Amino acid sequence: PEEHRVGGFFEALQAKNYEQAYAIWMNDPEWKQHTQQHARYPFSAFYQDWGPAGEYGPIQSYHIEGAALPPGRGGSSGVVVVVTVNQHPEKAHIWVEKTSKTLSFSPY
């Protein structure tokens, strides 16, 4: 399920639907109704990271390499999903929180 969630996120980015991608990232389809709840990572910062000027540039292609628990973290609250983006040599590591289904940058 975590790989599927990240796949939907990258599909939205590939379609340049950044607002939908942000909704997936936050697991909040109504995020525009209460932007203050996402003040720690507002849409403007998200767009800087994942928009056309972000690290990977416009998302043209992606491939989910797989998902795994962090090393030595059998009881972890989340899963790391590894993604090749635009054939970029540095892979994206996306953290998916198991209970909330929110996404974030992986600490691992």
Side-chain angles (χ1 to χ4, degrees):
E2 289 84 7
E3 290 179 18
H4 181 72
R5 184 119 185 108
V6 171
F9 170 70
F10 277 98
E11 286 174 21
L13 290 175
Q14 195 171 16
K16 298 181 178 34
N17 190 338
Y18 300 106
E19 291 181 358
Q20 179 185 3
Y22 185 71
I24 294 168
W25 185 272
M26 293 297 181
N27 193 29
D28 184 359
E30 304 297 323
W31 67 270
K32 287 185 188 179
Q33 309 303 319
H34 45 259
T35 57
Q36 72 281 0
Q37 289 182 11
H38 304 297
R40 288 183 58 210
Y41 192 46
F43 180 75
S44 59
F46 172 86
Y47 188 77
Q48 283 182 315
D49 290 339
W50 292 105
E55 178 179 351
Y56 297 101
I59 307 301
Q60 305 293 326
S61 66
Y62 70 92
H63 180 263
I64 295 177
E65 303 294 334
L69 292 172
R73 310 265 190 214
S76 176
S77 66
V79 173
V80 178
V81 179
V82 179
V83 185
T84 300
V85 182
N86 293 341
Q87 300 177 344
H88 195 279
E90 180 122 359
K91 306 213 182 302
H93 294 87
I94 308 297
W95 180 260
V96 182
E97 194 64 34
K98 290 179 191 176
T99 55
S100 68
K101 302 299 183 209
T102 57
L103 307 183
S104 62
F105 298 102
S106 175
Y108 303 99

PDB file of all heavy atoms in Angstrom, residues 41-78:
ATOM      1  N   TYR A  41       5.054  22.637   6.734  1.00  0.00           N
ATOM      2  CA  TYR A  41       5.478  22.387   5.342  1.00  0.00           C
ATOM      3  C   TYR A  41       4.379  22.923   4.430  1.00  0.00           C
ATOM      4  O   TYR A  41       3.569  22.169   3.894  1.00  0.00           O
ATOM      5  CB  TYR A  41       5.722  20.901   5.118  1.00  0.00           C
ATOM      6  CG  TYR A  41       6.431  20.569   3.819  1.00  0.00           C
ATOM      7  CD1 TYR A  41       7.565  21.268   3.398  1.00  0.00           C
ATOM      8  CD2 TYR A  41       5.987  19.530   3.023  1.00  0.00           C
ATOM      9  CE1 TYR A  41       8.217  20.944   2.224  1.00  0.00           C
ATOM     10  CE2 TYR A  41       6.631  19.183   1.842  1.00  0.00           C
ATOM     11  CZ  TYR A  41       7.753  19.893   1.451  1.00  0.00           C
ATOM     12  OH  TYR A  41       8.404  19.566   0.283  1.00  0.00           O
ATOM     13  N   PRO A  42       4.343  24.242   4.263  1.00  0.00           N
ATOM     14  CA  PRO A  42       3.275  24.845   3.454  1.00  0.00           C
ATOM     15  C   PRO A  42       3.427  24.505   1.972  1.00  0.00           C
ATOM     16  O   PRO A  42       4.495  24.073   1.521  1.00  0.00           O
ATOM     17  CB  PRO A  42       3.451  26.344   3.699  1.00  0.00           C
ATOM     18  CG  PRO A  42       4.884  26.503   4.065  1.00  0.00           C
ATOM     19  CD  PRO A  42       5.272  25.231   4.788  1.00  0.00           C
ATOM     20  N   PHE A  43       2.350  24.720   1.236  1.00  0.00           N
ATOM     21  CA  PHE A  43       2.354  24.416  -0.196  1.00  0.00           C
ATOM     22  C   PHE A  43       3.500  25.128  -0.908  1.00  0.00           C
ATOM     23  O   PHE A  43       4.125  24.550  -1.801  1.00  0.00           O
ATOM     24  CB  PHE A  43       1.004  24.775  -0.834  1.00  0.00           C
ATOM     25  CG  PHE A  43       0.970  24.485  -2.308  1.00  0.00           C
ATOM     26  CD1 PHE A  43       0.857  23.187  -2.772  1.00  0.00           C
ATOM     27  CD2 PHE A  43       1.088  25.510  -3.226  1.00  0.00           C
ATOM     28  CE1 PHE A  43       0.852  22.904  -4.131  1.00  0.00           C
ATOM     29  CE2 PHE A  43       1.081  25.252  -4.586  1.00  0.00           C
ATOM     30  CZ  PHE A  43       0.961  23.940  -5.044  1.00  0.00           C
ATOM     31  N   SER A  44       3.800  26.361  -0.536  1.00  0.00           N
ATOM     32  CA  SER A  44       4.873  27.111  -1.211  1.00  0.00           C
ATOM     33  C   SER A  44       6.220  26.391  -1.075  1.00  0.00           C
ATOM     34  O   SER A  44       6.993  26.312  -2.042  1.00  0.00           O
ATOM     35  CB  SER A  44       4.960  28.533  -0.670  1.00  0.00           C
ATOM     36  OG  SER A  44       5.205  28.513   0.728  1.00  0.00           O
ATOM     37  N   ALA A  45       6.518  25.857   0.090  1.00  0.00           N
ATOM     38  CA  ALA A  45       7.767  25.115   0.289  1.00  0.00           C
ATOM     39  C   ALA A  45       7.730  23.797  -0.484  1.00  0.00           C
ATOM     40  O   ALA A  45       8.727  23.391  -1.100  1.00  0.00           O
ATOM     41  CB  ALA A  45       7.999  24.851   1.773  1.00  0.00           C
ATOM     42  N   PHE A  46       6.580  23.133  -0.457  1.00  0.00           N
ATOM     43  CA  PHE A  46       6.406  21.896  -1.215  1.00  0.00           C
ATOM     44  C   PHE A  46       6.662  22.147  -2.702  1.00  0.00           C
ATOM     45  O   PHE A  46       7.376  21.386  -3.358  1.00  0.00           O
ATOM     46  CB  PHE A  46       4.981  21.356  -1.001  1.00  0.00           C
ATOM     47  CG  PHE A  46       4.639  20.192  -1.880  1.00  0.00           C
ATOM     48  CD1 PHE A  46       4.965  18.902  -1.505  1.00  0.00           C
ATOM     49  CD2 PHE A  46       3.980  20.374  -3.094  1.00  0.00           C
ATOM     50  CE1 PHE A  46       4.649  17.818  -2.316  1.00  0.00           C
ATOM     51  CE2 PHE A  46       3.662  19.310  -3.906  1.00  0.00           C
ATOM     52  CZ  PHE A  46       4.005  18.028  -3.519  1.00  0.00           C
ATOM     53  N   TYR A  47       6.109  23.231  -3.225  1.00  0.00           N
ATOM     54  CA  TYR A  47       6.269  23.556  -4.647  1.00  0.00           C
ATOM     55  C   TYR A  47       7.738  23.842  -4.971  1.00  0.00           C
ATOM     56  O   TYR A  47       8.216  23.468  -6.046  1.00  0.00           O
ATOM     57  CB  TYR A  47       5.373  24.744  -5.020  1.00  0.00           C
ATOM     58  CG  TYR A  47       5.338  25.008  -6.499  1.00  0.00           C
ATOM     59  CD1 TYR A  47       4.582  24.206  -7.349  1.00  0.00           C
ATOM     60  CD2 TYR A  47       6.058  26.060  -7.053  1.00  0.00           C
ATOM     61  CE1 TYR A  47       4.544  24.438  -8.712  1.00  0.00           C
ATOM     62  CE2 TYR A  47       6.027  26.304  -8.418  1.00  0.00           C
ATOM     63  CZ  TYR A  47       5.271  25.485  -9.241  1.00  0.00           C
ATOM     64  OH  TYR A  47       5.250  25.726 -10.598  1.00  0.00           O
ATOM     65  N   GLN A  48       8.450  24.468  -4.056  1.00  0.00           N
ATOM     66  CA  GLN A  48       9.883  24.698  -4.276  1.00  0.00           C
ATOM     67  C   GLN A  48      10.630  23.373  -4.364  1.00  0.00           C
ATOM     68  O   GLN A  48      11.538  23.223  -5.169  1.00  0.00           O
ATOM     69  CB  GLN A  48      10.485  25.534  -3.151  1.00  0.00           C
ATOM     70  CG  GLN A  48      10.161  26.997  -3.248  1.00  0.00           C
ATOM     71  CD  GLN A  48      10.838  27.782  -2.137  1.00  0.00           C
ATOM     72  OE1 GLN A  48      10.818  27.380  -0.970  1.00  0.00           O
ATOM     73  NE2 GLN A  48      11.437  28.889  -2.504  1.00  0.00           N
ATOM     74  N   ASP A  49      10.235  22.414  -3.532  1.00  0.00           N
ATOM     75  CA  ASP A  49      10.903  21.110  -3.512  1.00  0.00           C
ATOM     76  C   ASP A  49      10.524  20.229  -4.696  1.00  0.00           C
ATOM     77  O   ASP A  49      11.375  19.530  -5.257  1.00  0.00           O
ATOM     78  CB  ASP A  49      10.576  20.363  -2.216  1.00  0.00           C
ATOM     79  CG  ASP A  49      11.212  20.983  -0.994  1.00  0.00           C
ATOM     80  OD1 ASP A  49      12.206  21.729  -1.129  1.00  0.00           O
ATOM     81  OD2 ASP A  49      10.707  20.722   0.124  1.00  0.00           O
ATOM     82  N   TRP A  50       9.245  20.219  -5.068  1.00  0.00           N
ATOM     83  CA  TRP A  50       8.744  19.259  -6.047  1.00  0.00           C
ATOM     84  C   TRP A  50       8.274  19.877  -7.366  1.00  0.00           C
ATOM     85  O   TRP A  50       7.944  19.153  -8.292  1.00  0.00           O
ATOM     86  CB  TRP A  50       7.606  18.440  -5.438  1.00  0.00           C
ATOM     87  CG  TRP A  50       8.096  17.538  -4.358  1.00  0.00           C
ATOM     88  CD1 TRP A  50       7.938  17.691  -3.022  1.00  0.00           C
ATOM     89  CD2 TRP A  50       8.863  16.334  -4.527  1.00  0.00           C
ATOM     90  NE1 TRP A  50       8.549  16.660  -2.350  1.00  0.00           N
ATOM     91  CE2 TRP A  50       9.118  15.816  -3.250  1.00  0.00           C
ATOM     92  CE3 TRP A  50       9.350  15.650  -5.642  1.00  0.00           C
ATOM     93  CZ2 TRP A  50       9.843  14.643  -3.053  1.00  0.00           C
ATOM     94  CZ3 TRP A  50      10.067  14.484  -5.439  1.00  0.00           C
ATOM     95  CH2 TRP A  50      10.307  13.988  -4.161  1.00  0.00           C
ATOM     96  N   GLY A  51       8.220  21.188  -7.435  1.00  0.00           N
ATOM     97  CA  GLY A  51       7.802  21.863  -8.661  1.00  0.00           C
ATOM     98  C   GLY A  51       8.898  21.833  -9.714  1.00  0.00           C
ATOM     99  O   GLY A  51       9.936  21.184  -9.545  1.00  0.00           O
ATOM    100  N   PRO A  52       8.702  22.542 -10.824  1.00  0.00           N
ATOM    101  CA  PRO A  52       9.645  22.519 -11.947  1.00  0.00           C
ATOM    102  C   PRO A  52      11.065  22.937 -11.568  1.00  0.00           C
ATOM    103  O   PRO A  52      12.028  22.491 -12.194  1.00  0.00           O
ATOM    104  CB  PRO A  52       9.046  23.510 -12.943  1.00  0.00           C
ATOM    105  CG  PRO A  52       7.624  23.645 -12.555  1.00  0.00           C
ATOM    106  CD  PRO A  52       7.529  23.362 -11.094  1.00  0.00           C
ATOM    107  N   ALA A  53      11.229  23.776 -10.550  1.00  0.00           N
ATOM    108  CA  ALA A  53      12.563  24.229 -10.146  1.00  0.00           C
ATOM    109  C   ALA A  53      13.136  23.392  -9.009  1.00  0.00           C
ATOM    110  O   ALA A  53      14.191  23.715  -8.470  1.00  0.00           O
ATOM    111  CB  ALA A  53      12.509  25.698  -9.741  1.00  0.00           C
ATOM    112  N   GLY A  54      12.462  22.316  -8.640  1.00  0.00           N
ATOM    113  CA  GLY A  54      12.925  21.459  -7.548  1.00  0.00           C
ATOM    114  C   GLY A  54      14.137  20.638  -7.933  1.00  0.00           C
ATOM    115  O   GLY A  54      14.627  20.690  -9.069  1.00  0.00           O
ATOM    116  N   GLU A  55      14.606  19.856  -7.008  1.00  0.00           N
ATOM    117  CA  GLU A  55      15.822  19.053  -7.194  1.00  0.00           C
ATOM    118  C   GLU A  55      15.772  18.168  -8.434  1.00  0.00           C
ATOM    119  O   GLU A  55      16.764  18.008  -9.133  1.00  0.00           O
ATOM    120  CB  GLU A  55      16.051  18.180  -5.954  1.00  0.00           C
ATOM    121  CG  GLU A  55      17.256  17.282  -6.049  1.00  0.00           C
ATOM    122  CD  GLU A  55      17.478  16.443  -4.809  1.00  0.00           C
ATOM    123  OE1 GLU A  55      16.796  16.656  -3.787  1.00  0.00           O
ATOM    124  OE2 GLU A  55      18.345  15.564  -4.868  1.00  0.00           O
ATOM    125  N   TYR A  56      14.615  17.593  -8.725  1.00  0.00           N
ATOM    126  CA  TYR A  56      14.496  16.670  -9.857  1.00  0.00           C
ATOM    127  C   TYR A  56      13.972  17.346 -11.122  1.00  0.00           C
ATOM    128  O   TYR A  56      13.869  16.714 -12.160  1.00  0.00           O
ATOM    129  CB  TYR A  56      13.587  15.493  -9.488  1.00  0.00           C
ATOM    130  CG  TYR A  56      14.154  14.672  -8.356  1.00  0.00           C
ATOM    131  CD1 TYR A  56      13.688  14.825  -7.057  1.00  0.00           C
ATOM    132  CD2 TYR A  56      15.173  13.755  -8.577  1.00  0.00           C
ATOM    133  CE1 TYR A  56      14.218  14.086  -6.015  1.00  0.00           C
ATOM    134  CE2 TYR A  56      15.706  13.016  -7.544  1.00  0.00           C
ATOM    135  CZ  TYR A  56      15.229  13.181  -6.264  1.00  0.00           C
ATOM    136  OH  TYR A  56      15.755  12.449  -5.234  1.00  0.00           O
ATOM    137  N   GLY A  57      13.608  18.630 -11.014  1.00  0.00           N
ATOM    138  CA  GLY A  57      13.029  19.328 -12.158  1.00  0.00           C
ATOM    139  C   GLY A  57      11.637  18.799 -12.428  1.00  0.00           C
ATOM    140  O   GLY A  57      11.065  18.072 -11.608  1.00  0.00           O
ATOM    141  N   PRO A  58      11.067  19.137 -13.579  1.00  0.00           N
ATOM    142  CA  PRO A  58       9.744  18.595 -13.907  1.00  0.00           C
ATOM    143  C   PRO A  58       9.809  17.059 -13.949  1.00  0.00           C
ATOM    144  O   PRO A  58      10.735  16.498 -14.532  1.00  0.00           O
ATOM    145  CB  PRO A  58       9.443  19.160 -15.288  1.00  0.00           C
ATOM    146  CG  PRO A  58      10.360  20.333 -15.438  1.00  0.00           C
ATOM    147  CD  PRO A  58      11.574  20.023 -14.605  1.00  0.00           C
ATOM    148  N   ILE A  59       8.861  16.421 -13.314  1.00  0.00           N
ATOM    149  CA  ILE A  59       8.866  14.958 -13.262  1.00  0.00           C
ATOM    150  C   ILE A  59       8.374  14.418 -14.606  1.00  0.00           C
ATOM    151  O   ILE A  59       7.225  14.593 -14.984  1.00  0.00           O
ATOM    152  CB  ILE A  59       7.976  14.431 -12.112  1.00  0.00           C
ATOM    153  CG1 ILE A  59       8.363  15.080 -10.778  1.00  0.00           C
ATOM    154  CG2 ILE A  59       8.036  12.904 -12.038  1.00  0.00           C
ATOM    155  CD1 ILE A  59       9.788  14.879 -10.337  1.00  0.00           C
ATOM    156  N   GLN A  60       9.295  13.796 -15.318  1.00  0.00           N
ATOM    157  CA  GLN A  60       8.977  13.188 -16.616  1.00  0.00           C
ATOM    158  C   GLN A  60       8.752  11.683 -16.486  1.00  0.00           C
ATOM    159  O   GLN A  60       7.967  11.104 -17.215  1.00  0.00           O
ATOM    160  CB  GLN A  60      10.125  13.439 -17.610  1.00  0.00           C
ATOM    161  CG  GLN A  60      10.478  14.895 -17.787  1.00  0.00           C
ATOM    162  CD  GLN A  60       9.370  15.687 -18.451  1.00  0.00           C
ATOM    163  OE1 GLN A  60       8.662  15.172 -19.306  1.00  0.00           O
ATOM    164  NE2 GLN A  60       9.206  16.928 -18.048  1.00  0.00           N
ATOM    165  N   SER A  61       9.495  11.076 -15.571  1.00  0.00           N
ATOM    166  CA  SER A  61       9.391   9.629 -15.386  1.00  0.00           C
ATOM    167  C   SER A  61       9.776   9.283 -13.955  1.00  0.00           C
ATOM    168  O   SER A  61      10.489  10.042 -13.291  1.00  0.00           O
ATOM    169  CB  SER A  61      10.308   8.896 -16.362  1.00  0.00           C
ATOM    170  OG  SER A  61      11.670   9.181 -16.069  1.00  0.00           O
ATOM    171  N   TYR A  62       9.285   8.155 -13.515  1.00  0.00           N
ATOM    172  CA  TYR A  62       9.660   7.646 -12.188  1.00  0.00           C
ATOM    173  C   TYR A  62       9.520   6.135 -12.201  1.00  0.00           C
ATOM    174  O   TYR A  62       8.771   5.561 -13.000  1.00  0.00           O
ATOM    175  CB  TYR A  62       8.791   8.264 -11.085  1.00  0.00           C
ATOM    176  CG  TYR A  62       7.356   7.795 -11.102  1.00  0.00           C
ATOM    177  CD1 TYR A  62       6.958   6.702 -10.338  1.00  0.00           C
ATOM    178  CD2 TYR A  62       6.409   8.411 -11.902  1.00  0.00           C
ATOM    179  CE1 TYR A  62       5.653   6.251 -10.370  1.00  0.00           C
ATOM    180  CE2 TYR A  62       5.105   7.970 -11.939  1.00  0.00           C
ATOM    181  CZ  TYR A  62       4.735   6.890 -11.170  1.00  0.00           C
ATOM    182  OH  TYR A  62       3.438   6.430 -11.210  1.00  0.00           O
ATOM    183  N   HIS A  63      10.257   5.499 -11.338  1.00  0.00           N
ATOM    184  CA  HIS A  63      10.161   4.045 -11.176  1.00  0.00           C
ATOM    185  C   HIS A  63      10.329   3.732  -9.694  1.00  0.00           C
ATOM    186  O   HIS A  63      11.333   4.106  -9.082  1.00  0.00           O
ATOM    187  CB  HIS A  63      11.249   3.332 -11.980  1.00  0.00           C
ATOM    188  CG  HIS A  63      11.190   1.851 -11.831  1.00  0.00           C
ATOM    189  ND1 HIS A  63      11.975   1.155 -10.942  1.00  0.00           N
ATOM    190  CD2 HIS A  63      10.415   0.926 -12.433  1.00  0.00           C
ATOM    191  CE1 HIS A  63      11.691  -0.134 -11.012  1.00  0.00           C
ATOM    192  NE2 HIS A  63      10.750  -0.302 -11.909  1.00  0.00           N
ATOM    193  N   ILE A  64       9.332   3.084  -9.139  1.00  0.00           N
ATOM    194  CA  ILE A  64       9.407   2.692  -7.728  1.00  0.00           C
ATOM    195  C   ILE A  64      10.275   1.445  -7.632  1.00  0.00           C
ATOM    196  O   ILE A  64       9.953   0.410  -8.217  1.00  0.00           O
ATOM    197  CB  ILE A  64       8.001   2.475  -7.142  1.00  0.00           C
ATOM    198  CG1 ILE A  64       7.261   3.816  -7.146  1.00  0.00           C
ATOM    199  CG2 ILE A  64       8.091   1.884  -5.737  1.00  0.00           C
ATOM    200  CD1 ILE A  64       5.851   3.762  -6.683  1.00  0.00           C
ATOM    201  N   GLU A  65      11.377   1.587  -6.914  1.00  0.00           N
ATOM    202  CA  GLU A  65      12.333   0.486  -6.776  1.00  0.00           C
ATOM    203  C   GLU A  65      11.879  -0.519  -5.730  1.00  0.00           C
ATOM    204  O   GLU A  65      12.181  -1.697  -5.840  1.00  0.00           O
ATOM    205  CB  GLU A  65      13.719   1.032  -6.401  1.00  0.00           C
ATOM    206  CG  GLU A  65      14.284   2.042  -7.387  1.00  0.00           C
ATOM    207  CD  GLU A  65      14.604   1.452  -8.749  1.00  0.00           C
ATOM    208  OE1 GLU A  65      14.865   0.236  -8.842  1.00  0.00           O
ATOM    209  OE2 GLU A  65      14.579   2.214  -9.728  1.00  0.00           O
ATOM    210  N   GLY A  66      11.167  -0.034  -4.722  1.00  0.00           N
ATOM    211  CA  GLY A  66      10.699  -0.932  -3.677  1.00  0.00           C
ATOM    212  C   GLY A  66      10.491  -0.184  -2.376  1.00  0.00           C
ATOM    213  O   GLY A  66      10.725   1.019  -2.283  1.00  0.00           O
ATOM    214  N   ALA A  67      10.035  -0.924  -1.386  1.00  0.00           N
ATOM    215  CA  ALA A  67       9.777  -0.356  -0.067  1.00  0.00           C
ATOM    216  C   ALA A  67      10.392  -1.273   0.977  1.00  0.00           C
ATOM    217  O   ALA A  67      10.471  -2.489   0.779  1.00  0.00           O
ATOM    218  CB  ALA A  67       8.284  -0.224   0.173  1.00  0.00           C
ATOM    219  N   ALA A  68      10.844  -0.662   2.071  1.00  0.00           N
ATOM    220  CA  ALA A  68      11.451  -1.455   3.137  1.00  0.00           C
ATOM    221  C   ALA A  68      11.328  -0.733   4.467  1.00  0.00           C
ATOM    222  O   ALA A  68      11.208   0.486   4.515  1.00  0.00           O
ATOM    223  CB  ALA A  68      12.928  -1.695   2.829  1.00  0.00           C
ATOM    224  N   LEU A  69      11.366  -1.519   5.527  1.00  0.00           N
ATOM    225  CA  LEU A  69      11.455  -0.944   6.862  1.00  0.00           C
ATOM    226  C   LEU A  69      12.867  -0.399   7.031  1.00  0.00           C
ATOM    227  O   LEU A  69      13.812  -0.947   6.463  1.00  0.00           O
ATOM    228  CB  LEU A  69      11.177  -2.006   7.917  1.00  0.00           C
ATOM    229  CG  LEU A  69       9.751  -2.545   7.974  1.00  0.00           C
ATOM    230  CD1 LEU A  69       9.681  -3.720   8.941  1.00  0.00           C
ATOM    231  CD2 LEU A  69       8.796  -1.447   8.403  1.00  0.00           C
ATOM    232  N   PRO A  70      13.029   0.654   7.804  1.00  0.00           N
ATOM    233  CA  PRO A  70      14.375   1.164   8.047  1.00  0.00           C
ATOM    234  C   PRO A  70      15.232   0.093   8.726  1.00  0.00           C
ATOM    235  O   PRO A  70      14.707  -0.744   9.460  1.00  0.00           O
ATOM    236  CB  PRO A  70      14.155   2.343   8.989  1.00  0.00           C
ATOM    237  CG  PRO A  70      12.716   2.679   8.876  1.00  0.00           C
ATOM    238  CD  PRO A  70      12.002   1.440   8.466  1.00  0.00           C
ATOM    239  N   PRO A  71      16.529   0.108   8.494  1.00  0.00           N
ATOM    240  CA  PRO A  71      17.406  -0.906   9.109  1.00  0.00           C
ATOM    241  C   PRO A  71      17.280  -0.918  10.628  1.00  0.00           C
ATOM    242  O   PRO A  71      17.306   0.126  11.265  1.00  0.00           O
ATOM    243  CB  PRO A  71      18.818  -0.461   8.688  1.00  0.00           C
ATOM    244  CG  PRO A  71      18.619   0.498   7.566  1.00  0.00           C
ATOM    245  CD  PRO A  71      17.245   1.071   7.703  1.00  0.00           C
ATOM    246  N   GLY A  72      17.094  -2.112  11.175  1.00  0.00           N
ATOM    247  CA  GLY A  72      17.015  -2.267  12.618  1.00  0.00           C
ATOM    248  C   GLY A  72      15.778  -1.665  13.252  1.00  0.00           C
ATOM    249  O   GLY A  72      15.732  -1.432  14.446  1.00  0.00           O
ATOM    250  N   ARG A  73      14.757  -1.394  12.454  1.00  0.00           N
ATOM    251  CA  ARG A  73      13.551  -0.723  12.954  1.00  0.00           C
ATOM    252  C   ARG A  73      12.305  -1.581  12.691  1.00  0.00           C
ATOM    253  O   ARG A  73      11.350  -1.118  12.103  1.00  0.00           O
ATOM    254  CB  ARG A  73      13.366   0.636  12.286  1.00  0.00           C
ATOM    255  CG  ARG A  73      14.573   1.517  12.306  1.00  0.00           C
ATOM    256  CD  ARG A  73      14.530   2.445  13.464  1.00  0.00           C
ATOM    257  NE  ARG A  73      15.608   3.414  13.286  1.00  0.00           N
ATOM    258  CZ  ARG A  73      16.284   3.934  14.260  1.00  0.00           C
ATOM    259  NH1 ARG A  73      16.013   3.619  15.484  1.00  0.00           N
ATOM    260  NH2 ARG A  73      17.246   4.786  14.036  1.00  0.00           N
ATOM    261  N   GLY A  74      12.329  -2.831  13.139  1.00  0.00           N
ATOM    262  CA  GLY A  74      11.220  -3.734  12.895  1.00  0.00           C
ATOM    263  C   GLY A  74       9.876  -3.207  13.356  1.00  0.00           C
ATOM    264  O   GLY A  74       8.860  -3.460  12.739  1.00  0.00           O
ATOM    265  N   GLY A  75       9.848  -2.435  14.428  1.00  0.00           N
ATOM    266  CA  GLY A  75       8.599  -1.879  14.936  1.00  0.00           C
ATOM    267  C   GLY A  75       8.379  -0.448  14.468  1.00  0.00           C
ATOM    268  O   GLY A  75       7.695   0.321  15.130  1.00  0.00           O
ATOM    269  N   SER A  76       8.948  -0.093  13.353  1.00  0.00           N
ATOM    270  CA  SER A  76       8.899   1.284  12.859  1.00  0.00           C
ATOM    271  C   SER A  76       7.480   1.736  12.547  1.00  0.00           C
ATOM    272  O   SER A  76       6.621   0.945  12.175  1.00  0.00           O
ATOM    273  CB  SER A  76       9.761   1.400  11.599  1.00  0.00           C
ATOM    274  OG  SER A  76       9.665   2.684  11.056  1.00  0.00           O
ATOM    275  N   SER A  77       7.262   3.043  12.652  1.00  0.00           N
ATOM    276  CA  SER A  77       5.947   3.617  12.351  1.00  0.00           C
ATOM    277  C   SER A  77       5.767   3.905  10.873  1.00  0.00           C
ATOM    278  O   SER A  77       4.696   4.332  10.456  1.00  0.00           O
ATOM    279  CB  SER A  77       5.770   4.923  13.136  1.00  0.00           C
ATOM    280  OG  SER A  77       6.681   5.901  12.673  1.00  0.00           O
ATOM    281  N   GLY A  78       6.804   3.678  10.084  1.00  0.00           N
ATOM    282  CA  GLY A  78       6.700   3.989   8.667  1.00  0.00           C
ATOM    283  C   GLY A  78       7.569   3.100   7.811  1.00  0.00           C
ATOM    284  O   GLY A  78       8.275   2.212   8.296  1.00  0.00           O
TER     285      GLY A  78
END
